Amino acid sequence: MKEWISRRKVFCIVVVILLLVVFLWPISLGSRVPEDKDLVISWHQMDVIQPEDGAVESTLNAEVTTWRLETGTEDREAFQDLLEGYTIHRTWRTPFPANGLNGHSNGGYLFISWTEDEQFVHQVVTGFARLIMLDDHTYSLGYLDKHRSLDMKERTLAFLGHCPPLDES
């Protein structure tokens, strides 16, 4: 009986250690975005406009800017290097599909998308409030450091500010 309990304890400890390794192991964000694909990047800026005198409700001002980074260009390679500088980690929600990042935005959302085999569209979505979505699974940007997300927001928007946006025609 004692051997069975001892084996069970060892098995449980090994399983817990394996789960911790899987969930705490860092994943490079750049490794999840293929280098050989064109990227379409959209920044959805959301500003809450305070109500005017006599008005009851605030309004939401949404502005969308879109860029296209083609494979083989300097901008595309520099953006891939920027993504390589960030790591993501699995969370307890990662195994389960999510519908979005509701309420996890820091002034807007960044969408990075690419097409694979001319039929599958993949995307990375972040609101720069520590959570990031790859396709429909939620990850954490950094462990508990919300400043890492804000650093990514500032660096990404500064980088995209030097790239010409697509014409909205």
Side-chain angles (χ1 to χ4, degrees):
M1 183 72 164
K2 284 186 178 184
E3 285 182 27
W4 183 79
I5 293 174
S6 176
R7 287 182 186 174
R8 188 172 172 188
K9 280 184 182 180
V10 168
F11 177 75
C12 290
I13 289 171
V14 167
V15 167
V16 167
I17 289 172
L18 287 175
L19 284 173
L20 284 173
V21 166
V22 165
F23 275 84
L24 296 177
W25 194 268
I27 303 165
S28 169
L29 182 57
S31 71
R32 295 301 180 122
V33 178
E35 294 180 32
D36 61 343
K37 302 290 182 192
D38 293 348
L39 298 180
V40 176
I41 304 169
S42 298
W43 168 245
H44 297 245
Q45 176 73 37
M46 296 181 190
D47 295 318
V48 176
I49 300 171
Q50 298 300 323
E52 297 177 8
D53 291 338
V56 178
E57 297 179 358
S58 301
T59 56
L60 182 66
N61 181 23
E63 183 179 320
V64 179
T65 308
T66 304
W67 297 268
R68 181 178 181 85
L69 300 179
E70 295 182 6
T71 306
T73 61
E74 270 186 43
D75 288 338
R76 175 66 176 93
E77 292 172 6
F79 189 72
Q80 191 72 27
D81 290 342
L82 184 134
L83 293 177
E84 292 286 341
Y86 294 96
T87 58
I88 57 175
H89 308 277
R90 292 170 185 89
T91 68
W92 63 273
R93 293 187 280 183
T94 300
F96 309 105
N99 291 331
L101 295 176
N102 300 335
H104 291 90
S105 173
N106 191 350
Y109 290 95
L110 182 75
F111 294 84
I112 304 168
S113 59
W114 64 94
T115 305
E116 193 171 303
D117 300 329
E118 297 183 12
Q119 56 185 338
F120 297 110
V121 176
H122 297 279
Q123 69 179 2
V124 175
V125 180
T126 182
F128 300 108
R130 201 174 61 86
L131 291 180
I132 193 165
M133 280 186 57
L134 295 170
D135 292 326
D136 61 348
H137 295 279
T138 307
Y139 293 80
S140 172
L141 185 64
Y143 288 108
L144 299 173
D145 186 10
K146 67 179 178 182
H147 301 292
R148 188 79 171 145
S149 300
L150 295 175
D151 174 64
M152 183 180 176
K153 175 183 178 181
E154 291 170 3
R155 290 184 62 205
T156 302
L157 293 178
F159 174 82
L160 291 173
H162 298 294
C163 299
L166 288 176
D167 292 332
E168 301 295 327
S169 43

